Amino acid sequence: MSPVDGAGASNPNLPVDRAVTEGRMPSTDPQQIPELQEVDCPPELRERIETLMSRYPEKNSASIPALWAVQERYGWCTPDGIRQAAAVMRVTPAYLESVASFYDLLHTKPVGTHRIEVCTNISCWMRGGDELLDAFRAAAAGEDVFVTGFECLGACDIAPMACIDQRYFGPLLPGEAETAVGQLLSGDAVLPEKSLEKRPLAGDTHVAGASGGAGDSNDGSAA
Amino acid sequence: MPHQLETRVLLEGAEDPRLATLQGYKDIVGGYATLERAYRDMEQDEVLKSLEDSGLRGRGGAGFSMGKKASFLPRGDMPKYLCCNADESEPGAFKDRELMQRNPHQLIEGIAIAALAAGAGHAFIFIRGEYDAQADVLDAAVAEAYEAGYLGKDILGTHRDLELVVHRGAGAYICGEETALLDALEGKRGNPRLKPPFPAVQGLYGGPTLINNVETLSNVPRIVANGADWFRQWGTEQSPGTKVVSVSGGVRRPGNYEISLGLPTRDLIYELAGGPLPGRSVKAIYPGGSSSPVLTAEEAMDLPYSFEAMAAAGSMLGSGSVIVADDQVSIPHMALRTARFYHHESCGKCAPCREGTNWTVKMLERVVRGEATPMDLDIISSVQENIMGHCLCVLGDSMAMPVAAMVRKFRGEFEEVMAEAAEGIDPHVVVAAPVETLGAAT
């Protein structure tokens, strides 16, 4: 089925790059692995990562969860945090950094205490995602809130939507961005009536315009 | 009450929030009875046979027979693995989110039974990192299932074991590709692997691995409980069963609707999703997520919504996610938005995808900025042709298919947009390209 079926295998004389068939293996040079006593790892972080490692048949599988733990502890994947995780996992810091830099949700640069991701992909864009992103950027200007546009978050039913501190809200009007940021900074519940988790199944809402009216008020703004 | 055109099987009882708890799952839909029967009284081959007879096709995108896939795994004592692909990241798709949030135990029961069919002793749910709330729901449900003895060592005293780990990704569309998912699960950057060997032979940690989508696995308990004929009462000969379809974009009631496959696409869009917004009309749809070639409204509306009908129309059912573009949507801008997504998500491992997505974005940007000529449209088409079939995985094709279809079917609109944007631009004056204006991600 795959277009590259047999490439490499079709000519046994060609060397096959093992990194292509098996994935790249991390550097295991023991010289580069920091010792635990060198890194001053908080005991609870160390325990957390050790628990995570024990869940998998091979410890390296815990690298993404370990980086999540580092990010939770320090707000982002700090170089020190990465060294600490590397010391616990017995892998090189470079390896963990290579993993962290691949994924959009792991931050290798400082970000704010709160994080807002606004979807700007197809369905949200059709219903005003770009305007919503602008509104959030304006509302969060100068605050300790990190705002970014993001690829499809898997909530096109509540378009345009935003993910605020890892919880989904929508459909949102640009005017609600300011309310949301205000609530976030004052510690109140953010837009409780717009929370995805409280929404009924689409087929159970037979009120006209049950989508929240975003499409009507937001003027699609497609072009 | 759901609409009469909906057929709620996987979403049965989903309006009740208690369904997400183990007790609720048992009370409302008689959950875990099939797991008990399968673990106590059924052999591996029996489970496999009922899955194969049902004709259940994978709900993640490729539509391959689930039973057949499971039967590819070799027999023997080596460690085998089952991965549930919950990295739903295709623009337009949000059905797995609904299934996991509302009925996590159905998925866990399906995984346990599928693991029996595959002979796997270790299972993983790879859920995208963005679905934090859903991962919390799964964590709680898995803990309950361990507590009740449906997972772990010596399940229900049958000497069968199954460990299940919920593994959160960290934001990368490519991890939905099965071999990239394996790399990510092994703790690496999520790069796809060359196939063959296929995961059924050499997958996670080098062992035979069965990888299935959330919705596919959620279908398993009922199929094993009620048999293939029961399952085939819905759908068509080649697309049996029901499908949770995500409808979004320019419709009045976007959301997930579970239908019997083969329902007319018109009913799906106009009856269930409420049709286009007031005063607008449907121009085109992506019938199966952003990677499916777009169909014009005329092409799409009379087609039955099934794997075979979409394939015959030159598109695909994919993950079952319909994005509706209404008459207000500019197709060239939609093509650019689509291409940007794949450019952003390309892992960069193979050249046709890395370079192809990059140059497609640049050319489409020239189109909407008015710096292109009609010849550029031919170049765009030719680049798409050269991407298709030449990449390590299907990410490159996923951009090439919809973009090529848009250029082919809406060429006039591309030319109009180009001409309109070019007005007032003096071709003899070189200007610096404007900074990003279209709000691309990051």
Side-chain angles (χ1 to χ4, degrees):
Chain A
M1 194 199 83
S2 160
V4 285
D5 273 2
S10 60
N11 182 348
N13 298 321
L14 283 176
V16 175
D17 179 359
R18 296 187 75 80
V20 174
T21 53
E22 291 167 11
R24 278 174 213 288
M25 291 307 291
S27 155
T28 49
D29 181 1
Q31 295 285 307
Q32 295 170 18
I33 301 174
E35 292 303 324
L36 257 178
Q37 59 269 27
E38 294 168 23
V39 294
D40 193 22
C41 182
E44 62 277 8
L45 181 63
R46 177 181 168 180
E47 250 167 58
R48 177 90 187 278
I49 295 174
E50 279 167 351
T51 313
L52 289 168
M53 282 176 358
S54 70
R55 297 166 69 198
Y56 298 93
E58 288 185 16
K59 70 174 168 55
N60 280 8
S61 282
S63 69
I64 295 176
L67 287 162
W68 273 118
V70 168
Q71 183 155 297
E72 217 167 89
R73 179 77 172 69
Y74 298 107
W76 56 290
C77 293
T78 60
D80 284 346
I82 286 180
R83 279 179 66 79
Q84 290 163 2
V88 178
M89 288 185 66
R90 307 308 301 150
V91 295
T92 59
Y95 165 65
L96 281 188
E97 198 171 335
S98 81
V99 174
S101 62
F102 186 84
Y103 297 98
D104 286 349
L105 291 176
L106 296 172
H107 299 282
T108 48
K109 295 210 173 82
V111 284
T113 313
H114 300 287
R115 285 188 279 279
I116 301 179
E117 286 112 22
V118 183
C119 177
T120 54
N121 214 295
I122 306 170
S123 296
C124 281
W125 160 71
M126 285 177 183
R127 307 198 80 150
D130 289 355
E131 290 75 5
L132 187 65
L133 173 60
D134 289 343
F136 268 109
R137 284 203 169 125
E143 305 289 352
D144 187 22
V145 179
F146 173 76
V147 177
T148 181
F150 213 77
E151 299 297 0
C152 186
L153 286 154
C156 318
D157 46 347
I158 53 168
M161 58 80 63
C163 174
I164 302 174
D165 282 349
Q166 308 207 62
R167 286 295 178 273
Y168 285 11
F169 300 90
L172 300 179
L173 296 167
E176 284 168 310
E178 203 159 321
T179 321
V181 171
Q183 287 164 332
L184 197 57
L185 290 171
S186 63
D188 294 342
V190 175
L191 303 173
E193 71 289 359
K194 292 291 179 95
S195 163
L196 171 70
E197 285 146 89
K198 293 194 185 128
R199 265 177 91 83
L201 271 170
D204 293 333
T205 55
H206 275 284
V207 198
S211 75
D216 305 328
S217 354
N218 266 7
D219 177 43
S221 65
Chain B
M1 274 298 287
H3 196 285
Q4 55 178 22
L5 291 172
E6 262 202 89
T7 310
R8 290 202 184 160
V9 178
L10 296 179
L11 289 174
E12 183 191 351
E15 61 283 346
D16 189 340
R18 286 187 310 131
L19 191 64
T21 63
L22 191 134
Q23 198 55 49
Y25 181 55
K26 284 182 155 182
D27 293 347
I28 298 168
V29 292
Y32 285 114
T34 320
L35 183 147
E36 290 182 18
R37 191 162 73 88
Y39 271 72
R40 290 209 169 105
D41 309 326
M42 289 174 84
E43 289 305 317
Q44 183 176 4
D45 288 322
E46 220 177 317
V47 180
L48 262 182
K49 186 168 175 344
S50 79
L51 290 174
E52 275 191 76
D53 290 348
S54 73
L56 171 65
R57 297 177 67 162
R59 304 302 201 218
F64 192 75
S65 158
M66 191 255 169
K68 221 173 244 148
K69 202 171 178 180
S71 72
F72 288 158
L73 267 75
R75 301 293 169 95
D77 285 338
M78 71 289 249
K80 282 175 253 177
Y81 303 96
L82 185 143
C83 294
C84 167
N85 187 343
D87 192 68
E88 177 176 66
S89 310
E90 171 107 346
F94 46 91
K95 63 183 176 70
D96 295 343
R97 187 203 75 207
E98 197 96 271
L99 287 168
M100 290 187 286
Q101 171 144 358
R102 296 191 190 271
N103 200 348
H105 285 286
Q106 174 174 264
L107 174 61
I108 294 168
E109 187 178 9
I111 289 173
I113 298 168
L116 193 62
H122 223 119
F124 298 89
I125 301 175
F126 188 101
I127 182 167
R128 67 181 297 195
E130 291 88 341
Y131 283 177
D132 191 57
Q134 290 73 26
D136 287 349
V137 171
L138 282 175
D139 276 339
V142 168
E144 275 187 310
Y146 266 103
E147 182 84 2
Y150 294 127
L151 294 171
K153 296 248 177 294
D154 193 17
I155 295 169
L156 306 170
T158 58
H159 304 295
R160 288 164 156 164
D161 306 333
L162 180 68
E163 298 298 330
L164 176 59
V165 175
V166 178
H167 182 93
R168 297 170 198 227
Y173 168 70
I174 188 63
C175 293
E177 199 280 335
E178 55 181 19
T179 58
L181 182 147
L182 296 177
D183 262 22
L185 196 46
E186 288 178 6
K188 305 171 192 162
R189 294 163 72 90
N191 289 323
R193 305 173 183 177
L194 184 66
K195 292 187 271 189
F198 287 96
V201 179
Q202 190 182 330
L204 191 65
Y205 312 124
T209 306
L210 176 66
I211 306 172
N212 280 125
N213 170 263
V214 170
E215 190 182 355
T216 316
L217 289 164
S218 295
N219 266 300
V220 167
R222 283 187 181 78
I223 291 174
V224 173
N226 305 319
D229 290 337
W230 170 87
F231 184 67
R232 284 179 177 277
Q233 68 178 295
W234 296 291
T236 67
E237 178 60 32
Q238 292 175 52
S239 309
T242 61
K243 176 90 191 70
V244 182
V245 183
S246 308
V247 189
S248 68
V251 288
R252 295 189 203 207
R253 279 195 304 276
N256 285 309
Y257 298 93
E258 184 169 4
I259 59 163
S260 169
L261 280 164
L263 185 82
T265 305
R266 183 186 306 279
D267 285 353
L268 178 62
I269 293 173
Y270 283 84
E271 297 297 324
L272 290 174
L277 299 171
R280 304 202 192 165
S281 60
V282 178
K283 179 147 97 182
I285 68 165
Y286 293 87
S290 67
S291 57
S292 58
V294 295
L295 297 173
T296 63
E298 300 79 68
E299 288 174 318
M301 289 309 167
D302 295 321
L303 290 177
Y305 197 73
S306 66
F307 286 99
E308 63 275 15
M310 288 301 158
S315 189
M316 56 193 231
L317 187 111
S319 52
S321 323
V322 176
I323 307 176
V324 176
D326 61 31
D327 51 8
Q328 304 277 306
V329 172
S330 152
I331 299 290
H333 284 83
M334 188 164 87
L336 174 57
R337 196 62 58 149
T338 307
R340 275 209 181 128
F341 169 74
Y342 290 101
H343 173 226
H344 178 81
E345 299 295 343
S346 172
C347 78
K349 184 170 182 171
C350 74
C353 171
R354 182 183 64 235
E355 299 304 320
T357 54
N358 177 31
W359 284 101
T360 303
V361 168
K362 285 186 177 170
M363 288 187 286
L364 287 169
E365 280 175 347
R366 285 212 297 271
V367 166
V368 303
R369 281 205 305 259
E371 295 164 10
T373 66
M375 198 182 77
D376 285 288
L377 295 178
D378 298 329
I379 301 176
I380 292 175
S381 302
S382 128
V383 167
Q384 309 315 310
E385 271 168 37
N386 283 295
I387 292 173
M388 277 187 255
H390 296 147
C391 304
L392 260 178
C393 77
V394 292
L395 191 143
D397 299 50
S398 300
M399 179 202 67
M401 292 188 293
V403 169
M406 279 185 259
V407 173
R408 192 170 68 247
K409 294 177 183 176
F410 294 93
R411 190 169 173 116
E413 196 178 327
F414 276 83
E415 287 171 354
E416 265 170 47
V417 164
M418 255 157 39
E420 216 170 281
E423 264 174 51
I425 293 184
D426 182 344
H428 301 293
V429 178
V430 178
V431 287
V435 235
E436 288 291 298
T437 48
L438 286 164
T442 355

